[in-house]
Amino acid sequence: MSSDNSLSHTRWNCKYHIVFIPKYRRKVIYGKLRRDIGVILRRLCEMKDVEIIEAHAMPDHIHMLVKIPPKMSVSYFMGYLKGKSSLMIHDRDANLKYNHGNRTFWAKGYYVSTVGLNQKTVAKYIREQESEDRLRDNMSKREYVDPFKK
């Protein structure tokens, strides 16, 4: 089991698929802000010894596949990640204060799912999520022609 990690008396392999969104699900994760958010999330994960296996920033949400040590609860980690990253995002981009209120960037709550032996399936889903969303958006846009107009 080479993917297992260890603490002093524990062997562990705790992986979680986490999804969280900006406040009001605004589509704000673009360009420079997207790169900044990626750098911030990577740095915060390194500080807590959380390994990012796969991650992808969509325009209106973040997908992460992470390995969290068992000494830390998922809720504690998410509170830390969303709280600190919100402060750091506002420090880097002061104009967000006018659009998103004072120091709030992420919505309350998140989605989390444990990942067992299907890690490759979840990682592939995260990688291909953006292209699937684009295809779904293109399929839902119809050119409607009114049959009663000539």
Side-chain angles (χ1 to χ4, degrees):
M1 292 203 195
S2 61
S3 65
D4 288 353
N5 295 33
S6 64
L7 297 169
S8 58
H9 298 285
T10 310
R11 302 274 306 157
W12 61 274
N13 189 359
C14 304
K15 297 175 192 153
Y16 302 93
H17 175 209
I18 298 172
V19 181
F20 52 103
I21 62 173
K23 196 162 191 169
Y24 307 119
R25 200 159 178 123
R26 291 185 174 120
K27 295 186 179 199
V28 295
I29 307 173
Y30 286 113
K32 182 183 180 300
L33 187 58
R34 183 177 181 164
R35 284 190 300 277
D36 287 347
I37 290 171
V39 169
I40 290 168
L41 294 179
R42 278 192 288 284
R43 186 174 344 141
L44 291 173
C45 286
E46 285 174 11
M47 292 170 71
K48 290 293 182 183
D49 294 324
V50 172
E51 178 186 347
I52 299 175
I53 299 169
E54 192 76 40
H56 192 73
M58 301 292 291
D60 64 345
H61 62 280
I62 304 282
H63 281 275
M64 295 178 78
L65 178 59
V66 293
K67 232 176 173 178
I68 301 174
K71 63 183 179 180
M72 184 186 323
S73 71
V74 177
S75 62
Y76 167 79
F77 171 70
M78 287 306 297
Y80 164 80
L81 187 69
K82 288 170 63 177
K84 294 292 185 186
S85 66
S86 182
L87 295 173
M88 294 168 82
I89 290 166
H90 279 282
D91 285 344
R92 285 184 180 216
D93 193 352
N95 292 332
L96 288 175
K97 176 171 71 172
Y98 301 111
N99 295 334
H100 299 280
N102 196 16
R103 303 283 187 194
T104 56
F105 185 80
W106 303 113
K108 291 181 181 177
Y110 56 91
Y111 167 82
V112 63
S113 170
T114 56
V115 177
L117 300 176
N118 59 352
Q119 173 189 340
K120 291 179 183 173
T121 305
V122 174
K124 182 177 182 244
Y125 168 77
I126 291 172
R127 271 193 306 277
E128 297 174 356
Q129 178 69 32
E130 189 168 17
S131 60
E132 288 177 17
D133 278 357
R134 283 190 193 141
L135 285 172
R136 200 172 305 121
D137 285 347
N138 288 339
M139 286 190 291
S140 66
K141 293 178 185 171
R142 293 185 188 170
E143 297 280 335
Y144 183 75
V145 177
D146 189 357
F148 300 106
K149 287 187 178 180
K150 289 189 178 187

